[in-house]
Amino acid sequence: MSRIMDDDRDLDGLSESERRLADDLRRLAPLMREQESVEGIVSAGFRQALRDHLVYGEEVAPHPTFARALREHLLASRPIAPAAPLLLRRPVWISAMATVIAVLAVLLVSLVERPARPAFAIPRTTRADLLFNLPTSEILVRSMQATVSLIHPRPASPYAGRLSLTAHALPLGPAAVAAYRLGPPPRVMAQVHRLLHIHAAARRIRIDETDWIVAQDGGGHSGRPVHSLAISEATGEVIYHDRRNFQLPHANHPLGAGQAVLAARRWLTRLGWPGRDMPLIGISIVPRAPLLREIALGWRGVRASAIPEATLWVAPNRSVIEAWIWPPVASRTTLGAIPTSEAWDEIRQHAVPVVIAAIGHNLKVPGTGGVAHVSVAEILVTTLHHGAYLVPSYRFSGRVLLARHPHPATWLSFVPSTQ
């Protein structure tokens, strides 16, 4: 009896410190049960949004259905059976674990209760924006202008015929998606003489309600090859022409793919872009110009975009003779996403344009087809006064059989994926 009293134990075998721990765990048991049940209903989209919040310091945008279910689940009051006393000799790690669980539960409740506040508002996506991001059929440019890119001379043309498209099984889609705001381009025009060896003074011109800063040598009646740089003051779009090396009489084959990519990266880096870190999207031969390599590089940290950040044509002598470039990303935010079924309704109701590859502009015959692939991609949206943005969208594609055409064709459409 004296040994038990000296050890400060009661008749049930628990010391005073162990009894206090058992009481604490009994009070925490309901919270631990709630935490275990919450793990089973947390969606992948919410986990990604929570990760973005913790890593990037951004506001989260949980899926509304999940947020409502989690809130009701955590805040509902229902009786919990009392827990039995626990006999533990080393309670330190259990106390720490209970504290972590309590903090996580409070964090989840606060994140769900707090409304999402994106870091910036994205502009409304117009039909013109969607067509701008859809692939353009090959177009022959008869006269070169400083503000018209040979890489993307005009937007795509929507298919004019009636299409009957079906979707048998669509993925649910993510709960949250990312949007990006582009910043101003590097200060290339201020150093155009040193960086690009264009000797003409920069001047401001206005075309289609857009102000451009242009520096151009040659062209017109000068008898010299065009060498120009144009930068849009509204969006930061950069267009570069250099016809001094277009005709290379001793070149018989294009530059090797690896050498062309290296030349493109070095050229961009010299102008102030992060050329060494921009992801490589594609390497191809320029249509109607078999000696030119086309190099497409994307934005850092952006998974997929309809339009690359930079597209360059590299000649056999490693010179860049054509470039179409957009500014780097300045900021990122997270937004709630609509289900793919809602986006599909936009296509089914003909609310967004659809293009068909390798089809003439005047074709209007009906066609039938279906959805083969659905993914999330950023589309470029421009404004007259607030710059350019990468806006998340669903990319739908599939095959379609047109009347009086023996072979199926590929169709493509974008639908904004934000709420």
Side-chain angles (χ1 to χ4, degrees):
M1 177 64 70
S2 62
R3 183 182 63 83
I4 295 178
M5 296 302 295
D6 292 343
D7 197 27
D8 198 21
R9 295 178 181 274
D10 294 333
L11 295 178
D12 58 5
L14 294 177
S15 67
E16 183 61 28
S17 61
E18 290 173 339
R19 181 178 297 282
R20 287 196 301 269
L21 173 62
D23 292 339
D24 291 340
L25 291 179
R26 186 179 297 109
R27 287 192 298 269
L28 286 172
L31 183 59
M32 296 172 66
R33 289 192 177 92
E34 295 291 345
Q35 188 268 341
E36 291 176 355
S37 63
V38 165
E39 289 179 350
I41 65 172
V42 175
S43 66
F46 181 80
R47 287 197 300 269
Q48 180 63 38
L50 179 60
R51 178 184 181 277
D52 291 342
H53 175 81
L54 296 177
V55 174
Y56 301 106
E58 299 168 355
E59 299 296 337
V60 298
H63 193 281
T65 302
F66 163 73
R68 184 171 57 255
L70 180 59
R71 187 183 302 113
E72 293 174 354
H73 192 81
L74 290 178
L75 301 182
S77 60
R78 57 181 182 273
I80 302 294
L86 300 178
L87 299 176
L88 298 175
R89 292 291 181 182
R90 300 186 182 275
V92 176
W93 68 273
I94 293 181
S95 177
M97 181 181 68
T99 302
V100 170
I101 291 172
V103 170
L104 287 176
V106 172
L107 176 62
L108 283 173
V109 173
S110 64
L111 289 177
V112 172
E113 288 293 332
R114 185 174 56 194
R117 290 174 297 177
F120 54 85
I122 61 174
R124 185 178 67 88
T125 303
T126 65
R127 183 180 180 86
D129 292 323
L130 296 174
L131 288 172
F132 185 80
N133 285 267
L134 289 165
T136 306
S137 300
E138 183 181 348
I139 299 172
L140 181 62
V141 178
R142 300 187 181 277
S143 62
M144 184 172 296
Q145 302 176 35
T147 59
V148 176
S149 171
L150 302 185
I151 297 170
H152 193 279
R154 57 180 288 182
S157 297
Y159 186 69
R162 190 73 175 180
L163 298 177
S164 178
L165 303 174
T166 59
H168 298 293
L170 292 174
L172 180 61
V177 287
Y180 305 85
R181 181 168 54 191
L182 305 186
R187 297 177 56 82
V188 183
M189 194 61 75
Q191 308 178 66
V192 68
H193 307 303
R194 180 179 65 85
L195 295 175
L196 298 173
H197 307 291
I198 297 177
H199 303 291
R203 57 192 176 93
R204 178 179 282 104
I205 63 175
R206 188 173 182 84
I207 298 178
D208 296 333
E209 300 183 358
T210 300
D211 290 326
W212 293 80
I213 304 297
V214 177
Q216 177 175 333
D217 291 340
H221 301 289
S222 67
R224 293 180 295 144
V226 172
H227 188 202
S228 66
L229 178 73
I231 302 178
S232 168
E233 289 192 308
T235 65
E237 178 184 5
V238 177
I239 298 174
Y240 175 73
H241 303 304
D242 185 0
R243 282 300 168 271
R244 298 173 302 169
N245 297 312
F246 186 74
Q247 299 291 340
L248 298 175
H250 301 292
N252 299 316
H253 53 81
L255 188 65
Q259 293 175 312
V261 172
L262 183 60
R265 292 189 185 279
R266 286 177 173 173
W267 191 85
L268 284 169
T269 301
R270 188 169 71 250
L271 266 63
W273 270 262
R276 294 184 178 89
D277 301 326
M278 296 163 66
L280 178 63
I281 295 178
I283 308 173
S284 60
I285 297 296
V286 176
R288 299 182 184 235
L291 294 182
L292 301 181
R293 291 277 189 184
E294 180 174 285
I295 309 300
L297 300 170
W299 281 272
R300 295 186 300 178
V302 178
R303 291 185 178 181
S305 60
I307 293 176
E309 179 178 3
T311 306
L312 303 93
W313 290 356
V314 182
N317 65 350
R318 293 181 173 81
S319 65
V320 174
I321 70 167
E322 188 77 17
W324 187 43
I325 320 170
W326 292 88
V329 167
S331 56
R332 177 186 187 275
T333 192
T334 303
L335 303 168
I338 63 173
T340 54
S341 57
E342 292 185 20
W344 171 246
D345 288 340
E346 296 289 303
I347 297 177
R348 189 173 53 85
Q349 297 168 6
H350 310 289
V352 295
V354 173
V355 300
I356 300 180
I359 294 295
H361 300 305
N362 297 323
L363 192 64
K364 298 181 181 180
V365 299
T368 59
V371 177
H373 302 285
V374 182
S375 59
V376 176
E378 304 291 332
I379 63 173
L380 191 65
V381 175
T382 60
T383 67
L384 288 178
H385 305 290
H386 302 287
Y389 298 77
L390 294 177
V391 175
S393 297
Y394 288 121
R395 182 185 187 274
F396 290 85
S397 63
R399 304 287 279 173
V400 61
L401 186 61
L402 301 174
R404 300 191 297 274
H405 279 252
H407 303 293
T410 299
W411 68 270
L412 177 66
S413 184
F414 284 109
V415 182
S417 60
T418 53
Q419 296 175 347

